[in-house]
Amino acid sequence: MVKETKFYETLGVPPDASEAQLRSAYKKGALKWHPDKNQGNEAAQEKFKELSHAYEVLSDPQKRQLYDQYGEEGLEQGGAGGGMAAEDLFAQFFGGGSAFGGMFGGGMRETGPKKARTIHHVHKVSLEDIYRGKVSKLALQKSVICSSCEGRGGKEGAVKTCPGCNGAGMKTMMRQMGPMIQRFQTVCPDCQGEGETIRDKDRCKKCQGKKTIVERKVLHVHVDRGVKSGTKIDFKGEGDQIPGLLPGDVQFEIEQKPHARFQRKDDDLFYHSEIDLLTALAGGAIYIEHLDERWLTVNILPGEVISPGQVKMIRGQGMPSYRHHDFGNLYIQFDVKFPQKGEMRNIEKLEEILPPRMPQAKPTEDAMVEDFDLEDVDAHNQARAQGLTNGDDEDEDGVPPGAERMQCASQ
């Protein structure tokens, strides 16, 4: 039993699918959803990325084993959570360039020597670490050329071009369907798509004929102060090694973790503070623990009345600016907590302290007047009250509350 089936479902294959089934499913889906064929279709582009990522994981035996046992979480923890860019995988699968031959306009460009895939990783960083800066030690698994056979897969001269496919890895087959003959490609069964064959006794004992082995590599990722989510940090030549190709790169993308106290927008920080009514009216102090373990004492002066929802600013106490190290501002939004029923004492003294009551329209002497007391909204009427507070005076189909509805019956 596999832990997750998401990647298999993306490719439309069962969890026990063979390598040939995976290649066939990817090829079919990649040609269908490729951006060159679906220009301007964002859903198709996202589908192409998902398809490519699923195939990139399941076509790698080590990654597939991790995924089958532990799911996507296991890939991340095992240092194999990165992946090849969708276009890079497509180019490698179809031998570079666009498989459409310009049919849909444009296509991928291929310049210079071919490189192995770029390994992509998301590096999640806390807001505290972004505020102070840090160096992260991150381990990853990558393929390196086998030192025992020097990337040949076996003894020198033992590796032969597959006679069944002439080294292409694919064979063209024909099948008769009624009066028509269907021509299609399939993975060569003689070499399993490798394009080469080698006798078992001649295989390299270290890499088992795979030409590469998996190696653990630790990289030091410098997280600069004030770095923003989406920033990419590249390590050139630190990616996978494949015989006949230049070493690939490793790319880390910074992702800021959510924070319990602060929200960030560019170089500014936003903080919610709940204060009591006495502090809002008569002043006082609030205390804020900052991201570098300092505590800020924020003074509210007597008579500086704070209204519910009001926003105040402390200049220069936001985030450091990336690579400039100026600082943004800290914005504080105040929520004023009013006393609960039964907590008020000496209410009559408020008449002496607070400004006079607001004038209100009063009924005339000959008007009919009824007296009512307020009551709390019960659970049954909560939804109706919520509609009022949200300013929603019409339901979703545009019919005002209480209006009579008409239905048309089909004849």
Side-chain angles (χ1 to χ4, degrees):
M1 291 286 290
V2 297
K3 181 176 176 63
E4 292 181 12
T5 59
K6 175 185 172 183
F7 288 172
Y8 293 101
E9 291 170 359
T10 299
L11 287 169
V13 296
D16 59 350
S18 65
E19 183 179 344
Q21 288 176 297
L22 292 174
R23 286 178 63 89
S24 176
Y26 170 72
K27 180 180 180 182
K28 180 180 178 182
L31 291 173
K32 178 180 179 181
W33 299 108
H34 193 275
D36 282 355
K37 188 178 179 181
N38 300 274
Q39 294 184 12
N41 188 338
E42 294 185 3
Q45 294 177 15
E46 190 63 31
K47 179 71 175 177
F48 179 69
K49 290 180 182 178
E50 293 174 0
L51 192 80
S52 301
H53 182 54
Y55 176 72
E56 190 272 331
V57 170
L58 298 181
S59 62
D60 185 301
Q62 286 85 12
K63 289 186 178 182
R64 183 174 182 178
Q65 184 178 4
L66 272 175
Y67 177 74
D68 287 347
Q69 286 186 273
Y70 307 108
E72 287 188 79
E73 184 178 353
L75 290 173
E76 288 286 346
Q77 295 177 354
M84 188 188 301
E87 294 285 11
D88 293 341
L89 178 65
F90 187 87
Q92 182 173 304
F93 186 91
F94 289 98
S98 173
F100 301 110
M103 183 187 305
F104 302 107
M108 291 169 288
R109 296 186 301 272
E110 184 183 3
T111 58
K114 289 185 179 180
K115 292 182 64 173
R117 67 180 186 133
T118 297
I119 301 175
H120 297 267
H121 281 276
V122 174
H123 183 32
K124 298 182 179 181
V125 189
S126 69
L127 194 57
E128 285 86 354
D129 287 337
I130 294 177
Y131 186 87
R132 293 175 293 201
K134 70 171 294 188
V135 177
S136 301
K137 294 181 180 180
L138 300 178
L140 58 90
Q141 290 181 319
K142 67 174 186 176
S143 297
V144 297
I145 293 175
C146 177
S147 59
S148 180
C149 65
E150 298 180 340
R152 292 187 301 270
K155 298 177 182 179
E156 192 165 359
V159 180
K160 306 292 184 182
T161 299
C162 175
C165 63
N166 293 321
M170 303 288 288
K171 294 183 72 172
T172 300
M173 310 288 287
M174 290 194 297
R175 178 172 57 193
Q176 183 150 3
M177 300 180 64
M180 301 179 62
I181 295 178
Q182 183 184 27
R183 186 181 180 191
F184 62 97
Q185 282 192 322
T186 184
V187 174
C188 176
D190 300 327
C191 64
Q192 302 301 313
E194 295 294 328
E196 298 174 337
T197 59
I198 183 172
R199 293 182 298 180
D200 289 340
K201 69 175 186 176
D202 294 330
R203 290 182 185 276
C204 173
K205 301 297 186 291
K206 186 173 182 180
C207 67
Q208 301 300 314
K210 296 183 181 297
K211 303 180 182 180
T212 61
I213 60 173
V214 176
E215 186 179 83
R216 187 173 183 269
K217 175 77 174 182
V218 177
L219 296 176
H220 293 74
V221 181
H222 290 261
V223 179
D224 291 335
R225 298 179 68 192
V227 69
K228 293 180 172 61
S229 282
T231 299
K232 295 178 174 61
I233 302 171
D234 294 322
F235 289 82
K236 300 294 184 182
E238 292 289 354
D240 286 335
Q241 298 176 8
I242 297 177
L245 302 180
L246 294 176
D249 302 330
V250 178
Q251 185 179 81
F252 291 94
E253 182 175 346
I254 299 297
E255 180 180 307
Q256 177 189 304
K257 295 179 182 177
H259 198 270
R261 300 191 307 278
F262 295 102
Q263 290 181 309
R264 178 191 183 188
K265 184 177 181 182
D266 297 327
D267 297 334
D268 297 323
L269 288 174
F270 296 83
Y271 181 83
H272 278 83
S273 176
E274 185 178 70
I275 58 175
D276 53 59
L277 182 60
L278 179 60
T279 303
L281 296 176
I286 62 172
Y287 304 94
I288 301 174
E289 183 182 3
H290 214 307
L291 296 169
D292 56 357
E293 298 181 353
R294 288 180 299 132
W295 282 83
L296 309 183
T297 300
V298 183
N299 296 307
I300 301 174
L301 301 177
E304 183 187 2
V305 177
I306 301 294
S307 304
Q310 189 171 1
V311 177
K312 294 283 188 177
M313 179 187 76
I314 302 179
R315 191 178 302 277
Q317 288 301 317
M319 294 293 293
S321 177
Y322 182 45
R323 291 183 177 170
H324 298 288
H325 297 164
D326 296 328
F327 284 82
N329 300 322
L330 171 61
Y331 293 91
I332 306 172
Q333 183 174 30
F334 290 95
D335 296 325
V336 180
K337 184 179 180 182
F338 283 75
Q340 298 294 316
K341 188 185 298 184
E343 293 181 341
M344 297 290 290
R345 298 288 185 273
N346 302 320
I347 297 177
E348 63 278 357
K349 291 186 178 180
L350 293 177
E351 299 282 357
E352 304 173 10
I353 300 171
L354 297 177
R357 299 177 188 270
M358 294 174 56
Q360 296 191 52
K362 294 185 178 181
T364 59
E365 293 184 0
D366 59 345
M368 182 182 297
V369 179
E370 295 184 64
D371 292 336
F372 293 94
D373 294 326
L374 292 171
E375 57 182 285
D376 293 331
V377 179
D378 56 25
H380 178 70
N381 291 303
Q382 191 67 42
R384 297 170 65 181
Q386 192 69 32
L388 175 63
T389 57
N390 289 339
D392 184 12
D393 57 356
E394 292 190 1
D395 65 10
E396 60 185 15
D397 60 1
V399 180
E404 184 176 351
R405 297 172 182 266
M406 297 182 65
Q407 292 183 338
C408 295
S410 59
Q411 299 296 323

